[in-house]
């Protein structure tokens, strides 16, 4: 389905199913269906021709005709789907023969009426198609359809577009100027300085947010607290104030009680919190003075040297000291363009006409967004294509003072350069609010449910959708969000507000998405609403007027950040294919889905980040077309209804670690590609049957099982996993965010040691691995290190862990070659270069086997030795997390963590260390922290470790019976950091990483 073809691509197979299937069609109905088939066949070539040409190049009459054909195709698909459901019925297939016979006898009259209704509806559509065809003939559409431009085919996935600029070109000067404006004239003496407010002003796409973020990241460590919060054009000031509170102190302000406070109360909370703090707050993208005034009321002038940066496009909104951000210089503009295009270090290739480059530079006007977008469009194109762009209509508009106007033109040009399927996928992003954090996987599954993703031989629909996503990233139409502290994978995206303006306008014009952020729902020219997006509003019941105007014909309903407390899914939404409720508020025991069983066409059901839903209706088993059921972070549903076992078309089933599987889930649900489920509710035999059935899921790519797996269940699991050759993500055990009181219960035993089936031979495609293990031995560690595609490894020790140590001698390549993120929860690590400098000993120790301590104190590392180049281990590792058992380390006086050998990890960027204080003295803890900082500083990248103390209440106390204030205060800070870090490094779903703290839908 796309903007021109509408539902055309789905109609042929459905008509074929009706005409060739074993259906008792009345003679006149069959003839009418045959007419539809023939008419659509005659229209398709003309629509294909229209689809090959940018929409803005078509004659207006062509656009009108194409829109009418598209709407007719939607109506036809709605009709065919209704026919198929009403005639086929929707009862589960495992009923007894007698029950089915009785049902058939009882439904004869109903089916006859259904066929009569269908016949009348087909007659109406036949007349509609005839009118559209007559219009096509009268206007001679075929003669005025524009011809496709004569351009060379390009591959949007060219390697050049995957390469990133290693630095922010042109930002050094502006960053230095802004830092100078913010610097203290008294050096470090800040106790009596007034608060500084600096407004960064500039046109859209100029890089205001990028500049503010760079300065914020550089300075925030000098302040007691900080926040970076976007505002946007139509902000919910209450949400903005709450986001500031959460950013300032995630530990204190993440409580849900702050949701019920009004603006006045939130301002008071902020003022109380900031009263004695030196703070640094960035308020990004402010559009209106009134919004800034409301936010400004919460800011406290306390003579502590606090800083507030505000970014805005409007000079009238600017206050305080104003920094006018200027466009890039000509040299920086060219460097950015050529680096993005050719990875040429900013040099223009000799075969590229200088004239074309100068024209493009002038058109972009030094606006980074315009330059990057232009580069994304031109990558891989020939010289004549560059010249064609320069000669295109609108290119010679004046530039003086029109950078924003020209950037919009360039974005529009880039949009029309997209292949048709990418246009459709991009426009779908308009269902999300401004500054929304869009999880990649959920977006792709929605595309699939909508029918936007075309099947490709040898590639699953999800992988094909992932290609679409990457192409949009490569063309700079969406902004990728990476897991910077983990595997480095792209896990989400955001849409620049200028791109969002573009696609919202196009979506409205083409009746693609209807956005409702108030009490009104309108579509252009009174068209039927096909996709409805509710944003930041209180959702109300469907009125009779809205039902009569066709709003109940929606195919997709997405609600983001809405109040759904009194809203109930209307039973007339019978054609709904996608239902997604994300980050919405509802009352406890919410029953808004009581009519869910009526949505017989539903393909996607997503409830994300919603508390108060205790169960799903058993009638969910009627949704035989359902492909995706996503209930992750719906924490109050403890067991899925047994009706889920009837959903034979499911390809994705995601629930949280508390939501359990119904018994017999995998007997009929055999097409899964992604499965997240808890099985602790099952008895031993049911668990065995479950893990055995896993071996039949040959398409499974992602598997996350929460629960205890013991005895024969583990061996059955091993056998099943050997059949899953496409498996990429494997997580076995409990989520590390399980509440403390439950932790002891759920991880008494997981795996005694690393299973032998975790090996390159069994799991050649494995990218992510999360396991809970008791021991790690050399054989297991070597096997895991040989997994050829592994990018993230998370090994967590069980509570019952006994003495454990493992050492692997690494010589040459082949050990964790692609690993980017590694977490050893419960183990200390060390890399020791052997005497001949030809190999490295990699050791793990959990502090409970004292004889293994020698390896962690026997080598030394100083400034002089750090200058030599050691052998490389884990060449791509960027994030490392491990634990230091302080008391065990210093027990005999010989232990040390000064010589960890981190220099063997050349790509390392982040180090997180859990400092276990149990049984240690405050002096020993301080010593360990100092040594860890020293070891990290010796790394060529001069690392600053993130130190996360645990068990500080169990440190050895002083004679006064109290822990030193310094230790306790420092630990409070570390506990907060630990909560945040633990989520990101262990969850495997970074979309949720900030949901427990900062709002993930904000950038």
């Amino acid at each position: 389905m796309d903007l021109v073809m509408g539902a055309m691509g789905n109609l042929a197979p459905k008509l074929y199913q009706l005409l060739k299937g074993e259906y008792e069609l009345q003679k006149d109905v069959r003839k009418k269906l045959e007419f539809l088939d023939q008419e659509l066949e005659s229209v398709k070539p003309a629509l294909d021709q229209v689809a090959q040409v940018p929409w803005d190049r078509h004659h207006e009459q062509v656009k009108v005709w194409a829109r009418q054909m598209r709407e007719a195709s939607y109506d036809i698909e709605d009709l065919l789907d209704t026919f198929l459901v009403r005639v086929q019925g929707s009862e589960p297939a495992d009923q007894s023969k007698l029950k089915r016979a009785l049902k058939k006898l009882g439904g004869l009259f109903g089916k006859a009426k259904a066929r009569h209704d269908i016949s009348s509806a087909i007659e109406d559509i036949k007349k509609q198609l005839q009118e559209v065809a007559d219009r096509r003939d009268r206007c001679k559409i075929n003669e005025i359809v524009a011809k496709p431009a004569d351009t060379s085919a390009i591959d949007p996935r060219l390697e050049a577009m995957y390469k990133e600029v290693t630095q922010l070109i042109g930002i050094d000067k502006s960053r230095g100027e802004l830092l100078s404006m913010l610097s203290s004239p008294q050096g470090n003496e800040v106790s009596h300085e007034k608060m500084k407010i600096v407004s960064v002003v500039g046109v859209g796409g100029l890089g205001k947010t990028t500049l503010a973020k760079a300065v914020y990241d550089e300075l925030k460590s000098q302040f007691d607290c900080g926040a970076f919060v976007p505002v946007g054009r139509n902000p919910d000031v209450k949400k903005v104030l709450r986001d500031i509170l959460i950013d300032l102190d995630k530990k204190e302000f993440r409580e849900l009680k702050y949701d019920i406070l009004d603006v006045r109360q939130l301002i008071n909370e902020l003022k109380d919190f900031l009263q004695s703090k030196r703070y640094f707050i960035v308020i990004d993208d402010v559009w209106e003075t009134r919004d800034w005034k409301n936010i400004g009321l919460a800011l406290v002038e306390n003579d502590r040297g606090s800083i507030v940066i505000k970014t805005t496009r409007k000079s009238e909104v600017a206050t305080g000291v104003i920094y006018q951000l200027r466009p890039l210089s000509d040299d920086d503009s060219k460097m950015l363009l050529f680096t993005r295009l050719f990875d040429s270090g900013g040099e223009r290739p000799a075969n590229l006409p200088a004239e074309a480059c100068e024209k493009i530079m002038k058109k972009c006007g030094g606006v980074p967004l315009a330059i990057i977008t232009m580069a994304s469009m031109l990558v891989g194109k020939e010289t004549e294509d560059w010249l064609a762009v320069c000669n295109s209509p609108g290119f010679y508009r004046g530039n003086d003072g029109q950078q924003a106007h020209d950037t919009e033109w360039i974005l529009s040009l880039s949009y029309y350069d997209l292949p048709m399927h990418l246009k459709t996928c991009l426009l779908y992003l308009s269902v999300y609010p401004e500054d929304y954090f869009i999880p990649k996987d959920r977006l792709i599954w929605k595309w699939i449910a909508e029918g936007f993703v075309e099947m490709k031989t040898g590639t699953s629909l999800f992988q094909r959708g992932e290609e679409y996503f990457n192409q949009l990233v490569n063309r700079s139409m969406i902004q990728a969000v990476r897991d910077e502290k983990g595997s480095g994978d792209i896990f989400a995206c955001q849409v620049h507000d200028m791109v969002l303006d573009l696609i919202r306008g196009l979506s409205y014009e083409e009746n693609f998405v209807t956005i409702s952020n108030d009490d009104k729902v309108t579509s252009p020219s009174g068209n039927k609403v096909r996709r409805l997006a509710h944003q930041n509003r209180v959702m109300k019941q469907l009125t009779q007027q809205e039902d009569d105007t066709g709003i109940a014909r929606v195919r997709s309903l997405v609600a983001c950040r809405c109040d759904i407390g009194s809203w109930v899914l209307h039973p007339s939404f019978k054609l709904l294919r996608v239902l997604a409720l994300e980050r919405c508020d509802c009352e406890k025991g919410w029953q808004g889905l009581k009519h869910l069983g009526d949505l017989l066409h539903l393909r996607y059901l997503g409830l994300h980040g919603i508390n108060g839903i205790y169960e799903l209706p058993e009638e969910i088993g009627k949704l035989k077309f359902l492909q995706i059921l996503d209930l992750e972070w719906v924490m109050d549903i403890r067991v899925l209804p047994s009706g889920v076992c009837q959903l034979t078309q499911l390809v994705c089933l995601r629930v949280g670690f508390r939501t359990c599987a119904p018994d017999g889930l995998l007997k009929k649900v055999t097409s899964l590609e992604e499965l997240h489920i808890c099985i602790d509710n099952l008895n031993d035999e049911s668990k065995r049957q479950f893990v055995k059935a896993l071996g039949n899921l040959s398409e499974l790519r992602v598997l996350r099982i929460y629960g205890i797996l013991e005895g024969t269940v583990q061996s059955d699991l091993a056998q099943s996993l050997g059949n899953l050759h496409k498996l990429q993500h494997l997580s076995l055990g409990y989520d590390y965010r399980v509440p403390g009181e439950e932790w002891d219960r759920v991880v008494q035993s997981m795996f005694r040691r690393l299973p032998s089936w975790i090996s390159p031979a069994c799991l050649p495609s494995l990218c992510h691995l999360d396991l809970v293990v008791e021991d790690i031995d050399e054989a297991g560690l070597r096997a895991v290190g040989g997994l050829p595609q592994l990018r993230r490894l998370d090994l967590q020790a069980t509570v019952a862990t006994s003495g454990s140590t493992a050492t692997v001698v690494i010589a040459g390549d082949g050990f964790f070659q692609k690993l980017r993120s590694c977490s050893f929860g419960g183990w200390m690590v060390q890399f020791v270069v052997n005497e001949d400098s030809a190999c490295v000993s990699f050791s793990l120790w959990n502090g409970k086997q004292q004889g293994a301590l020698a390896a962690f104190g026997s080598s030394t590392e100083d400034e002089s030795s750090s200058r030599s180049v050691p052998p490389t281990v884990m060449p791509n590792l960027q994030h490392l997390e491990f634990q230091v058992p302080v008391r065990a380390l210093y027990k005999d006086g010989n232990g040390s963590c000064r010589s960890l050998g981190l220099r063997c990890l050349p790509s390392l960027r982040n180090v997180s260390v859990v400092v276990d204080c149990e049984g240690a003295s405050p002096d020993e803890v301080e010593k360990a922290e100092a040594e860890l900082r020293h070891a990290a500083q010796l790394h060529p990248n001069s690392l600053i470790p993130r130190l996360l103390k645990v068990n500080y209440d169990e440190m050895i106390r002083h004679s006064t019976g109290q822990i030193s204030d310094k230790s306790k205060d420092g630990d409070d800070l570390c506990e907060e950091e630990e909560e945040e870090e633990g989520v990101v490094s262990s969850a495997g779903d970074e979309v949720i990483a900030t949901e427990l703290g900062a709002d993930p839908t904000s950038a």
Side-chain angles (χ1 to χ4, degrees):
M1 191 189 307
D2 56 42
L3 290 178
V4 175
M5 305 300 290
M8 200 67 67
N10 300 331
L11 298 183
K14 291 179 179 180
L15 281 167
Y16 181 86
Q17 181 182 356
L18 280 171
L19 293 172
K20 303 298 182 183
E22 296 179 358
Y23 296 101
E24 300 175 3
L25 298 178
Q26 295 174 349
K27 187 175 181 179
D28 65 324
V29 171
R30 179 175 293 276
K31 286 185 176 181
K32 291 173 182 177
L33 289 174
E34 289 174 346
F35 168 81
L36 292 183
D37 190 34
Q38 295 167 2
E39 180 63 20
L40 294 173
E41 187 66 26
S42 67
V43 168
K44 191 174 182 299
L47 283 174
D48 285 337
Q49 191 175 1
V50 172
Q52 294 175 27
V53 179
W55 193 244
D56 60 337
R57 294 185 59 214
H58 282 302
H59 192 282
E60 192 59 36
Q61 289 181 335
V62 175
K63 293 181 182 180
V64 171
W65 171 75
R67 288 178 183 132
Q68 292 174 339
M69 266 314 306
R70 180 186 61 219
E71 292 300 316
S73 74
Y74 286 137
D75 290 339
I76 295 172
E77 186 181 33
D78 292 345
L79 172 70
L80 296 181
D81 284 344
T82 301
F83 184 91
L84 288 170
V85 168
R86 292 181 68 178
V87 175
Q88 286 180 327
S90 59
E91 292 299 318
D94 63 346
Q95 299 179 77
S96 67
K97 292 182 179 180
L98 177 60
K99 188 175 180 180
R100 290 201 302 270
L102 291 173
K103 183 71 175 178
K104 184 174 182 180
L105 286 172
L108 284 178
F109 178 79
K111 289 185 178 180
K113 184 178 185 302
R115 291 190 176 97
H116 175 77
D117 294 343
I118 294 293
S119 178
S120 299
I122 292 176
E123 184 63 33
D124 292 340
I125 289 180
K126 181 179 176 182
K127 293 177 181 178
Q128 181 182 353
L129 282 178
Q130 188 62 55
E131 292 174 0
V132 175
D134 292 343
R135 186 174 294 108
R136 178 184 62 185
D137 294 337
R138 289 195 307 271
C139 299
K140 300 181 179 180
I141 296 295
N142 291 341
E143 297 179 12
I144 59 176
V145 170
K147 304 300 180 185
D150 184 17
T151 58
S152 302
I154 67 169
D155 180 3
R157 293 167 292 165
L158 285 175
E159 182 179 357
M161 289 310 299
Y162 281 107
K163 297 183 178 180
E164 298 179 1
V165 181
T166 57
Q167 59 181 350
L168 298 171
I169 294 174
I171 199 174
D172 288 343
K173 181 178 179 181
S174 55
R175 180 174 56 191
E177 292 173 344
L178 186 54
L179 285 170
S180 178
M181 297 175 71
L182 296 173
S183 63
S184 168
Q186 303 178 26
N188 293 326
E189 292 293 330
V190 298
S191 59
H192 300 294
E193 288 186 33
K194 297 290 186 181
M195 178 179 67
K196 289 184 179 179
I197 297 179
V198 177
S199 297
V200 179
V201 183
V203 298
L206 202 55
K208 301 182 294 298
T209 301
T210 303
L211 173 62
K213 187 66 166 62
V215 171
Y216 177 75
D217 289 341
E218 185 165 339
L219 296 181
K220 64 180 179 181
S221 62
Q222 302 175 19
F223 294 79
D224 298 332
C225 54
F228 192 108
V229 176
V231 177
R233 271 160 295 193
N234 299 296
D236 179 347
V237 175
K238 176 181 173 181
K239 180 184 179 303
V240 172
L241 294 171
R242 182 177 179 274
D243 287 348
I244 296 174
L245 278 169
I246 291 174
D247 265 17
L248 289 171
D249 191 327
K250 294 180 176 62
K251 185 177 180 181
E252 179 174 349
F253 294 114
R254 66 177 48 168
E255 298 294 333
L256 293 177
K257 63 183 180 181
Y258 290 96
D259 288 337
I260 65 175
L261 300 183
D262 59 23
V263 171
R264 180 187 61 81
Q265 292 168 324
L266 287 168
I267 289 174
N268 289 336
E269 287 284 345
L270 267 169
K271 292 177 77 70
D272 289 345
F273 181 80
L274 296 175
Q275 191 63 49
S276 61
K277 301 285 195 307
R278 183 172 188 247
Y279 58 87
F280 186 3
I281 297 177
V282 177
I283 308 298
D284 186 42
D285 196 24
V286 183
W287 283 71
E288 300 298 337
T289 301
R290 65 176 182 273
D291 297 327
W292 168 248
K293 286 182 177 179
N294 286 329
I295 297 168
L297 291 174
L299 303 178
V300 176
E301 173 54 80
N302 54 14
D303 295 336
R304 298 279 294 167
S306 298
I307 290 177
V308 176
I309 292 180
K310 169 173 54 176
T311 73
T312 181
R313 298 185 191 184
K314 297 183 175 182
S315 57
E316 61 268 26
V317 179
T319 54
V321 180
I322 297 176
Y323 178 74
Q324 187 73 46
L325 184 58
R326 296 179 295 277
L328 295 179
S329 66
D330 288 346
D331 289 342
D332 284 340
S333 295
K334 290 176 183 178
M335 179 175 291
L336 179 57
L337 178 70
F338 298 141
T339 302
R340 289 277 174 163
L341 276 171
F342 311 110
D343 194 24
S344 59
E347 296 294 327
R348 177 176 62 86
N351 62 341
L352 203 62
E355 179 185 2
C357 294
E358 293 298 329
K359 288 181 178 179
I360 289 174
M361 287 296 94
K362 183 177 180 181
K363 188 65 178 178
C364 292
V367 177
L369 178 63
I371 297 170
I372 292 170
T373 304
M374 186 67 79
S376 302
M377 182 176 61
L378 295 175
V379 64
K381 290 190 174 181
E382 303 295 335
T383 300
E384 53 267 26
D385 297 313
W386 283 62
L387 296 173
V389 169
C390 294
N391 294 325
S392 60
F395 196 86
Y396 287 103
R397 283 200 305 255
N399 283 85
D400 296 338
Q402 296 189 34
Q403 288 102 336
H405 191 188
D406 287 332
T407 301
E408 293 166 0
W409 181 86
I410 290 169
L411 289 172
S412 178
L413 186 68
S414 183
Y415 166 80
Y416 287 121
D417 190 61
L418 293 173
M420 185 58 71
H421 61 273
L422 289 187
K423 288 188 179 76
T424 308
C425 292
L426 179 64
L427 289 193
Y428 192 77
L429 296 177
S430 60
V431 302
Y432 297 104
E434 186 177 3
D435 296 318
Y436 201 78
F437 185 96
I438 306 170
K440 181 184 78 171
D441 289 4
R442 290 190 176 92
L443 175 62
I444 293 173
W445 285 125
K446 288 188 183 81
W447 287 346
I448 291 172
E450 289 276 4
F452 298 159
V453 180
E454 301 171 350
M455 181 65 75
K456 180 181 179 182
T457 303
T459 304
S460 71
L461 282 174
F462 185 87
Q463 291 169 322
R464 185 68 167 153
E466 203 165 24
E467 292 177 9
Y468 291 2
F469 183 94
N470 291 337
Q471 289 176 34
L472 289 174
V473 171
N474 297 340
R475 288 171 174 262
S476 301
M477 300 307 290
I478 59 177
Q479 300 169 336
V481 180
R482 292 183 180 273
D483 173 20
E484 297 296 349
K485 295 182 180 178
S487 64
D489 294 341
I490 297 173
F491 66 91
C493 71
Q494 288 186 293
V495 184
H496 192 282
D497 53 8
M498 295 187 73
V499 177
L500 187 60
D501 282 343
L502 171 69
I503 63 177
R504 279 182 173 176
L506 292 169
S507 292
Y508 180 82
E509 181 183 349
E510 299 306 320
N511 195 31
F512 189 75
V513 171
T514 301
I515 300 172
S516 171
N517 49 26
D518 51 31
D519 290 334
K520 297 180 180 178
V521 178
T522 57
S523 59
S525 304
N527 288 328
K528 297 171 183 174
V529 176
R530 303 294 182 184
R531 296 179 185 87
L532 179 59
H534 292 291
Q535 301 174 357
N536 304 306
R537 58 163 296 190
V538 176
M539 290 175 59
K540 298 180 179 179
Q541 293 307 112
L542 189 69
T543 65
Q544 185 61 48
Q545 181 182 4
E546 290 172 324
D547 196 357
D548 292 342
T549 58
I551 195 173
R553 304 290 294 275
V554 295
R555 309 160 76 86
S556 181
L557 175 59
V558 180
C560 299
R561 300 175 181 160
C562 290
D563 183 343
I564 58 173
S566 61
W567 179 80
V568 176
L569 182 65
H570 200 280
S572 65
F573 282 102
K574 293 185 182 297
L575 298 172
L576 206 61
R577 288 157 171 77
V578 171
L579 175 60
L581 306 178
E582 302 182 2
R583 303 286 295 171
C584 293
D585 298 324
C586 69
E587 57 198 16
K588 292 184 178 180
W590 184 65
Q591 296 293 315
L593 298 179
K594 61 183 179 181
H595 299 300
L596 184 64
D598 295 328
L599 308 183
L600 301 181
H601 298 286
L602 202 65
R603 267 74 169 171
Y604 178 102
L605 174 59
L607 309 175
H608 181 58
I610 302 176
N611 294 321
I613 304 176
Y614 296 141
E615 61 182 3
L616 291 179
E618 186 65 40
E619 289 75 15
I620 193 174
K622 295 180 180 180
L623 309 182
K624 61 181 180 179
F625 296 126
L626 194 67
Q627 296 173 293
I628 299 99
L629 177 56
D630 187 351
L631 306 177
E632 202 159 34
W633 289 100
V634 179
M635 305 304 294
D636 296 324
I637 297 179
R638 294 309 175 99
V639 181
L640 292 177
S642 59
V644 173
C645 299
Q646 305 298 327
L647 304 178
T648 59
Q649 300 299 313
L650 273 185
V651 291
C652 175
L653 173 57
R654 301 169 63 154
V655 299
F657 64 86
R658 293 179 178 175
T659 305
C660 295
D663 202 358
L665 172 66
L666 300 184
K667 288 182 179 179
K668 294 181 180 180
V669 182
T670 59
S671 300
L672 288 170
E673 297 179 23
E674 184 170 352
L675 174 61
H676 306 206
I677 198 72
C678 176
I679 60 172
D680 256 355
N681 61 309
L682 303 180
N683 59 38
D684 290 344
E685 180 58 29
S686 294
K687 284 184 179 179
R688 287 195 63 192
Q689 295 302 321
F690 178 88
V691 298
K692 283 183 177 180
L694 284 174
N696 299 323
L697 305 180
S698 58
E699 298 299 313
L700 201 64
R701 294 179 300 101
V702 180
L703 174 61
R704 179 173 294 163
I705 299 179
Y706 305 118
I708 300 175
L709 307 175
E710 297 179 306
T712 56
V713 176
Q714 288 190 11
S715 58
D716 291 332
L717 176 64
Q719 185 172 355
S720 291
L721 292 179
N723 298 328
L724 305 182
H725 303 298
K726 296 183 179 180
L727 195 64
Q728 297 178 5
H729 298 231
L730 175 61
S731 178
L732 301 175
Y734 259 82
D735 194 300
Y736 297 2
R737 291 161 290 178
V738 173
E741 64 272 13
E742 299 183 24
W743 179 247
D744 290 343
R745 180 183 68 82
V746 300
V747 291
Q748 290 295 326
S749 174
M750 182 50 64
F751 293 100
R752 175 67 180 81
R753 56 175 46 88
L754 284 170
S756 59
W757 41 265
I758 303 291
S759 67
C762 295
L763 299 168
S765 301
L766 198 64
C767 301
H768 291 191
L769 174 62
D770 298 340
L771 283 182
V772 178
V773 295
E774 184 173 339
D775 294 328
I776 297 179
D777 57 17
E778 179 180 355
L781 190 58
R782 191 175 294 279
V784 173
L787 292 170
Q789 300 298 324
L790 193 65
R791 295 197 301 271
R792 195 194 72 204
L793 173 65
D794 207 328
L795 295 179
Q796 173 72 23
T798 67
V799 173
T801 295
S802 59
S804 176
T805 184
T807 298
V808 176
V809 178
I810 307 161
D813 298 333
F815 191 77
F816 287 122
Q817 280 295 296
K818 293 189 176 181
L819 194 67
R820 294 174 63 95
S821 174
C822 186
S823 176
F824 293 105
W827 282 277
M828 185 173 175
V829 304
Q830 186 181 48
F831 302 88
V832 178
V833 180
N834 290 7
E835 293 182 0
D836 58 4
S837 298
C839 53
V840 175
S841 294
F842 169 44
S843 299
L844 293 172
W845 174 58
N846 69 352
K848 298 185 179 181
Q849 185 174 343
Q850 207 58 30
L853 177 59
F856 290 83
S858 59
S859 65
T860 59
E861 188 174 27
D862 54 26
E863 301 291 347
S864 59
S865 64
S866 68
R867 298 190 185 100
S868 60
V869 180
T872 296
V873 180
M874 307 182 190
N876 293 296
L877 190 72
Q878 295 188 5
H879 175 74
L880 174 65
E881 183 175 339
F882 59 93
Q883 182 165 319
V884 172
V886 177
R887 182 67 190 111
L889 181 67
Y890 295 131
K891 187 174 183 179
D892 60 3
N894 295 322
S896 172
C897 45
R898 289 174 60 89
S899 53
L900 298 178
L902 300 181
R903 295 184 303 118
C904 296
L905 311 173
S907 301
L908 199 60
R909 295 292 181 271
N910 300 291
V911 179
S912 297
V913 186
V914 177
V915 180
D916 187 352
C917 307
E918 182 178 1
S921 68
D923 290 341
E924 287 175 325
V925 172
E926 290 184 11
K927 178 182 177 182
E929 291 180 325
E931 290 182 346
L932 287 167
R933 293 188 182 97
H934 174 78
Q937 185 64 34
L938 292 179
H939 192 279
N941 294 331
S942 298
L943 303 173
I944 300 176
R946 189 183 184 114
L947 305 179
L948 316 170
K949 291 199 287 288
V950 296
N951 297 327
Y952 78 88
D953 283 334
E954 300 182 42
M955 280 196 292
I956 297 176
R957 298 176 181 271
H958 296 302
S959 58
T960 60
Q962 298 294 326
I963 299 173
S964 68
D965 290 340
K966 179 179 179 181
S967 298
K968 192 173 189 305
D969 290 345
D971 198 71
D972 285 341
L973 173 62
C974 290
E975 266 199 332
E976 173 191 337
E977 293 177 346
E978 181 188 2
E979 282 186 319
E980 180 183 0
E981 177 63 17
V983 171
V984 175
S985 65
S986 66
D989 184 358
E990 291 79 358
V991 173
I992 307 298
T994 50
E995 283 193 311
L996 301 183
D999 186 352
T1001 58
S1002 300

